[in-house]
Amino acid sequence: MRRTFVALILAILSSLALADEFVGQASVIDGDTLEMHGVRIRLWGIDAPESSQLCRGEDSLQYRCGAQAANDLDVFIARRAVNCVPVSLDPYGRTVATCSVGGADLGEWLVRNGLALDWPKYSKGRYHEAQRDAERAGQGLWKGSYVEPWLYRACIRASGRPSACSDDANAHP
C-alpha cells in the first residue's frame, strides 16, 4: 500500500513538473541548471562543465570553466524573466526544458559562446552549428583545452579528483 501511495505521489509530481511552462526569475545553479519556483530545471540538449571542473585557457593555465559558464549565464540572464518549456524529467527528477530569455534560447547561447557543448545524445544535433561557430571563433572552451563534461563526471564517479579528471589525454583540442 505504501509503495502504491509513493508511486502515485511521484506520478502526480512528475505530471505537474511537465504540465506547463515555467516563467519567472530563475537562479543559476550551474552552467546548465536553473531553479525557478523551487523546481530544478536542466537545460535540454547541452552539457556545461561542472562547477568543480577545470579547463585550460589559451595561456595553458587552468581555470574554473564550470564556474565561468554559471557566472556568464547569470550575467546574461540579468534578473530578466526566464521562460522554460518542459520536455521531460531526467533520472534525478529534474525537469528538462528549453529555456529562453528575451527570445534567446539559453542552450544555444551557452553553446555559441563556448560555455557548453551540444550534447547530440539528447539534442540530435540541434546546437551543432552553434558549436561549430564557437569552435571556429575560438570562444570559451575552444580557446584552450577541456574534457567533455560527461567524461569528467564519469571520472569523478570512478573516484577521480577534479584536477586529475579535468586534465587527461582525451582533452580537446
Side-chain angles (χ1 to χ4, degrees), residues 117-129:
L117 299 175
D118 176 43
W119 202 353
K121 176 179 177 181
Y122 299 103
S123 75
K124 306 299 182 224
R126 177 171 173 177
Y127 301 117
H128 175 74
E129 286 303 315

Side-chain angles (χ1 to χ4, degrees), residues 34-102:
L34 306 173
E35 186 169 294
M36 188 186 315
H37 308 304
V39 176
R40 288 277 167 116
I41 301 169
R42 173 75 163 78
L43 295 176
W44 175 85
I46 67 163
D47 202 8
E50 296 298 316
S51 296
S52 60
Q53 190 170 345
L54 302 170
C55 296
R56 290 194 181 271
E58 59 192 328
D59 56 6
S60 296
L61 297 176
Q62 288 186 323
Y63 71 100
R64 295 186 58 211
C65 50
Q68 180 79 49
N71 291 337
D72 287 2
L73 178 59
D74 192 49
V75 168
F76 179 72
I77 291 173
R79 304 184 62 79
R80 295 180 288 168
V82 177
N83 182 26
C84 295
V85 178
V87 174
S88 64
L89 289 176
D90 74 5
Y92 305 102
R94 295 177 296 188
T95 297
V96 177
T98 58
C99 297
S100 61
V101 170

Side-chain angles (χ1 to χ4, degrees), residues 13-41:
L13 290 175
S14 294
S15 66
L16 288 175
L18 294 176
D20 293 316
E21 294 182 14
F22 291 90
V23 179
Q25 193 164 344
S27 298
V28 174
I29 303 302
D30 64 25
D32 53 28
T33 308
L34 306 173
E35 186 169 294
M36 188 186 315
H37 308 304
V39 176
R40 288 277 167 116
I41 301 169

